[in-house]
Amino acid sequence: MTRPYARRLQDIEPFRVVEVLTRAKQLAAAGRDIVRLEAGEPDFSTAEPIVRAAQAALARGETHYSQAAGIPELREAIANYYKTDYNLAIAPERIMITPGASGALLLISGLLLNPGDGILMTDPGYPCNRNFFRLVEGEGQLVPVGPQDRYQLTAEKAAAVWRENTVGAIVASPANPTGEILTEQELRDLYSLCERKDGYLIVDEIYHGLDYDEKAASILSITDQAFVINSFSKYFGMTGWRLGWLVAPPDAVPHLEKLAQNLFISMSTMGQYGALAAFEPETRGILNNRRDEFKRRRDYLLPELRRLGFDIPHTPAGALYLYAGIQKFGGNSAQFCVDMLEQHGISITPGADFGRYRSNEHVRFAYTTSMSRLEEAVARMDRLFA
């Protein structure tokens, strides 16, 4: 007998980059040489001081549940990170450790959304946001943005599309898939709008630390009433450890803790002790050197893609991606990515993963592989396009 599953599944789209990743691995396992430019995962292994700290935690038996909000030492360390890197005094009690930034998104969705409520988000943007909202019977309200907006949601644009059921906005700076940032004034204007509308502002700051030409501003320098999502996955290079954090207004924390107790119980305890070492000077030196290498990759790949005919209007200020128009190559993103992978061994992500607005005309390149592999990808595309 075939039984129906929940109707929400019809509205939750697959994360296409995972499908591309799976196919790329299948081809590689069959002996094909695949240049991997699809996943937003730094190619460096976790920095050795973090690994050593986690191993030491295991050796001394730190294998039990932690508090639902995370171990106090890690919350203190993150508060000190905001002090040293941003000159901000953030109370550790406002910081919650989460199972990746995804865990923070789930907590925020459960906290802020009643059935039928909506949150504004950019199109293109990180695709899973709207699926988290849908999971709690809310909706992601897609706002088309383009090069003229630097692919960001401005206060003016948000005000024009704010609906009766809109309860807030979520933005990312630097953003996935475009790498664009919001200035401090733009963040201030967005927060002022949300305050006037009696709404919430959520800011995804998971690519902070991977900002190359100017330091991305944090909404925490403007207000203590916004919600900030961050992660140990990108700058800190701990993707598989599944650790993130959330900074929330003081009155929200007890409610978030209640949700976390029920949804997660706790995060990986040994992982949290490992993450303590992420803030040590030795580790930060390693991570900053890796950031400089990502910038070098961006500065190589960007002009090469432009030379080949890809349309990339701005130099991305951060993150790990180049969001490229393929109008010159026919403008069929899904087929373009299939052909690039199956015929030419280059794995990239179709624009449909990131929204609907002109998505068929775009692909995303992730410069998360070595310079030699980037050069190989360019050489293959040279033979194909030039």
Side-chain angles (χ1 to χ4, degrees), residues 106 228 247 371:
L106 181 57
V228 168
V247 185
M371 281 292 294

Side-chain angles (χ1 to χ4, degrees), residues 121-177:
M121 55 182 291
T122 60
D123 180 0
Y126 180 61
C128 297
N129 290 342
R130 63 182 184 270
N131 294 328
F132 278 107
F133 302 154
R134 178 65 185 88
L135 189 66
V136 297
E137 305 301 326
E139 64 172 350
Q141 297 172 332
L142 298 180
V143 183
V145 294
Q148 70 279 5
D149 313 299
R150 293 188 352 273
Y151 295 102
Q152 286 286 7
L153 182 65
T154 64
E156 180 181 14
K157 188 174 281 282
V161 297
W162 198 284
R163 308 179 197 172
E164 187 175 340
N165 68 329
T166 300
V167 299
I170 182 169
V171 292
S173 178
N176 177 10

Side-chain angles (χ1 to χ4, degrees), residues 117-266:
D117 288 344
I119 292 182
L120 301 177
M121 55 182 291
T122 60
D123 180 0
Y126 180 61
C128 297
N129 290 342
R130 63 182 184 270
N131 294 328
F132 278 107
F133 302 154
R134 178 65 185 88
L135 189 66
V136 297
E137 305 301 326
E139 64 172 350
Q141 297 172 332
L142 298 180
V143 183
V145 294
Q148 70 279 5
D149 313 299
R150 293 188 352 273
Y151 295 102
Q152 286 286 7
L153 182 65
T154 64
E156 180 181 14
K157 188 174 281 282
V161 297
W162 198 284
R163 308 179 197 172
E164 187 175 340
N165 68 329
T166 300
V167 299
I170 182 169
V171 292
S173 178
N176 177 10
T178 64
E180 299 285 4
I181 67 169
L182 287 158
T183 67
E184 183 173 338
Q185 187 59 53
E186 288 169 331
L187 286 168
R188 190 179 301 277
D189 292 343
L190 274 167
Y191 177 70
S192 295
L193 171 69
C194 291
E195 194 175 34
R196 291 197 306 273
K197 297 285 191 180
D198 198 26
Y200 306 100
L201 180 61
I202 308 158
V203 183
D204 173 343
E205 297 186 355
I206 74 171
Y207 292 99
H208 273 224
L210 295 175
D211 33 19
Y212 304 121
D213 303 309
E214 59 179 302
K215 185 176 178 62
S218 174
I219 189 65
L220 296 171
S221 67
I222 297 166
T223 177
D224 64 359
Q225 292 301 305
F227 293 83
V228 168
I229 296 168
N230 212 318
S231 173
F232 286 97
S233 290
K234 307 302 181 179
Y235 168 73
F236 294 98
M238 297 176 64
T239 50
W241 300 68
R242 305 313 302 136
L243 284 175
W245 74 83
L246 166 62
V247 185
D251 68 304
V253 173
H255 304 292
L256 291 165
E257 286 197 63
K258 179 173 64 175
L259 286 171
Q261 290 162 1
N262 283 275
L263 294 174
F264 312 133
I265 301 178
S266 75

Side-chain angles (χ1 to χ4, degrees), residues 228-380:
V228 168
I229 296 168
N230 212 318
S231 173
F232 286 97
S233 290
K234 307 302 181 179
Y235 168 73
F236 294 98
M238 297 176 64
T239 50
W241 300 68
R242 305 313 302 136
L243 284 175
W245 74 83
L246 166 62
V247 185
D251 68 304
V253 173
H255 304 292
L256 291 165
E257 286 197 63
K258 179 173 64 175
L259 286 171
Q261 290 162 1
N262 283 275
L263 294 174
F264 312 133
I265 301 178
S266 75
M267 283 56 64
S268 163
T269 301
M270 63 289 293
Q272 291 182 74
Y273 280 102
L276 282 172
F279 302 102
E280 294 176 358
E282 178 189 5
T283 313
R284 294 299 301 276
I286 294 169
L287 300 179
N288 288 340
N289 288 337
R290 293 177 175 183
R291 176 198 61 209
D292 294 343
E293 173 62 15
F294 285 127
K295 181 180 185 296
R296 189 167 78 96
R297 295 175 185 180
R298 179 202 67 172
D299 292 346
Y300 166 74
L301 188 58
L302 175 61
E304 290 295 322
L305 291 178
R306 285 172 170 165
R307 176 182 63 82
L308 289 165
F310 292 92
D311 181 24
I312 309 172
H314 305 122
T315 299
L320 300 164
Y321 314 113
L322 297 170
Y323 192 61
I326 58 167
Q327 295 88 336
K328 180 179 177 180
F329 310 112
N332 185 333
S333 175
Q335 189 59 51
F336 183 86
C337 290
V338 168
D339 292 344
M340 291 288 282
L341 177 57
E342 300 288 344
Q343 299 178 26
H344 308 289
I346 302 171
S347 180
I348 55 180
T349 307
D353 225 12
F354 308 104
R356 297 163 189 157
Y357 179 60
R358 301 184 63 186
S359 61
N360 204 39
E361 302 173 14
H362 290 82
V363 297
R364 188 192 72 175
F365 291 84
Y367 44 90
T368 49
T369 191
S370 67
M371 281 292 294
S372 63
R373 298 302 284 162
L374 294 179
E375 290 166 353
E376 173 61 24
V378 169
R380 293 182 190 183

